[in-house]
Amino acid sequence: MNRAEGNLNWSPAADHPELLAPPVAEALSLAPSARVAPIDPTLADTAAFCEAYASAPEHSANCVVVAGKRGGELRYAAVIVLASTRADVNGVVRRHLDVRKISFAPQADAVEFTGMEFGGITPVGLPADWPVLVDEAVVAAGQVVIGSGIRASKLVVDAAELATLPTAEVLALAQ
């Protein structure tokens, strides 16, 4: 059994747009290895997902949306770290985005601006002007499970593809 895939049956994501948020389906060419599996949406949160589907947390990547301010300007970004780690949002991420104050984006803003469900937000299909900050451990993990834009499914991708997203930057983000 693959440590990322767990006990799910995965299919090519392009064959199942109904299991993806529209912005994710539109951006699939950016993650050609993407495969999708339906899940129980009540098990979409990482810890519950990993336990229920035997997917290793060190092969599960979380995508969080942060919002930072500087000089009255609000800047959004996505931060991707392994589920087994935490992002240094107030240190590395804040300095990298050159903002004075940073926090997790309000849920309503994250959902509205991404076109994805909260708890299913993924780096594939994010707004084109958002930085996508990918922790170096994610890229080194090989295959990783990420959101699909909805809570009722997950994607498994070659993590190296996340580093090639148009606005991606690979950094040491984990604490």
Side-chain angles (χ1 to χ4, degrees), residues 63-66 76-80 121-123 126 130-134 173:
C63 179
V64 296
V65 176
V66 296
Y76 289 92
V79 178
I80 296 61
I121 294 175
T122 189
L126 289 172
W130 283 16
V132 176
L133 308 180
V134 184
L173 299 172

Side-chain angles (χ1 to χ4, degrees), residues 43-100:
L43 299 172
D45 293 336
T46 305
F49 169 81
C50 289
E51 183 177 336
Y53 298 107
S55 180
E58 62 271 17
H59 288 279
S60 185
N62 290 330
C63 179
V64 296
V65 176
V66 296
K69 286 185 181 181
R70 182 167 193 94
E73 177 191 356
L74 190 57
R75 302 174 189 173
Y76 289 92
V79 178
I80 296 61
V81 294
L82 293 175
S84 56
T85 65
R86 290 176 48 126
D88 183 4
V89 172
N90 287 311
V92 175
V93 174
R94 182 184 57 77
R95 285 189 300 273
H96 185 77
L97 296 175
D98 191 29
V99 294
R100 288 191 169 306

